[in-house]
Amino acid sequence: QVHLVESGGGLVQAGGSLKLSCVASGRTRSTNTMGWFRQAPGAEREFVAAIALSDLTSDYLDSVKGRFTISKDNAENSVYLQMNILKPEDTAVYYCVASQYGPTWHHPGMYDYWGQGTQVTVSS
C-alpha cells in the first residue's frame, strides 16, 4: 500500500501562483509514476500532470501546458506541482496520484493510489 498526503492548496487571485506538494510513504518501490488529477464541482476527475520516477518523462493536460510544472524529489518520495498564471477554471480539488504505469496514461483507472485531495480556489 502507498499512502499519499497533499499540501499547498488555498485561495489565490487569478494570475497568481500556488505550489502543491505530495509526499508518498509505504511501498513506494511499487510505483513508477506520480502525478496530479483534479475534480471541479459537478465534473469528472481530470488528469493534470504526471512524471516518471525513473527519468524525466512527464505529461500534461493541454490547458495547463506552459503554466504548470511538475517536478519530483525521489530521495524525499515527493512530487510537486508549481501552478502559475492560475485561472478561475483551475478551481478544483487536486489529488496526488501514484501508478505502476507510465506518465502518459490519463485515465484515472490507471492510477492505483490517491491522496485525500487539497482544495485550490482561484478567484476572478
Side-chain angles (χ1 to χ4, degrees):
Q1 192 76 4
V2 176
H3 186 55
L4 304 172
V5 178
E6 306 99 333
S7 62
L11 173 65
V12 64
Q13 288 187 333
S17 299
L18 280 175
K19 185 175 183 178
L20 305 183
S21 300
C22 174
V23 179
S25 60
R27 299 184 65 179
T28 57
R29 291 186 177 182
S30 66
T31 59
N32 290 315
T33 294
M34 291 183 69
W36 298 89
F37 274 69
R38 67 187 182 187
Q39 186 168 23
E44 295 184 351
R45 289 188 179 186
E46 176 181 54
F47 172 87
V48 176
I51 188 166
L53 300 181
S54 60
D55 56 34
L56 295 178
T57 303
S58 60
D59 200 13
Y60 293 89
L61 175 70
D62 284 346
S63 63
V64 308
K65 287 180 180 177
R67 299 189 297 121
F68 291 11
T69 302
I70 191 169
S71 61
K72 62 179 179 175
D73 184 335
N74 286 355
E76 297 294 328
N77 291 323
S78 296
V79 65
Y80 309 96
L81 187 68
Q82 177 67 47
M83 305 184 293
N84 298 327
I85 317 174
L86 281 160
K87 304 176 181 179
E89 51 264 43
D90 294 318
T91 295
V93 176
Y94 283 71
Y95 296 91
C96 180
V97 295
S99 172
Q100 62 180 310
Y101 302 106
T104 57
W105 291 100
H106 293 193
H107 192 282
M110 301 304 290
Y111 289 81
D112 309 293
Y113 303 103
W114 293 72
Q116 292 298 308
T118 184
Q119 177 70 47
V120 172
T121 303
V122 184
S123 62
S124 58

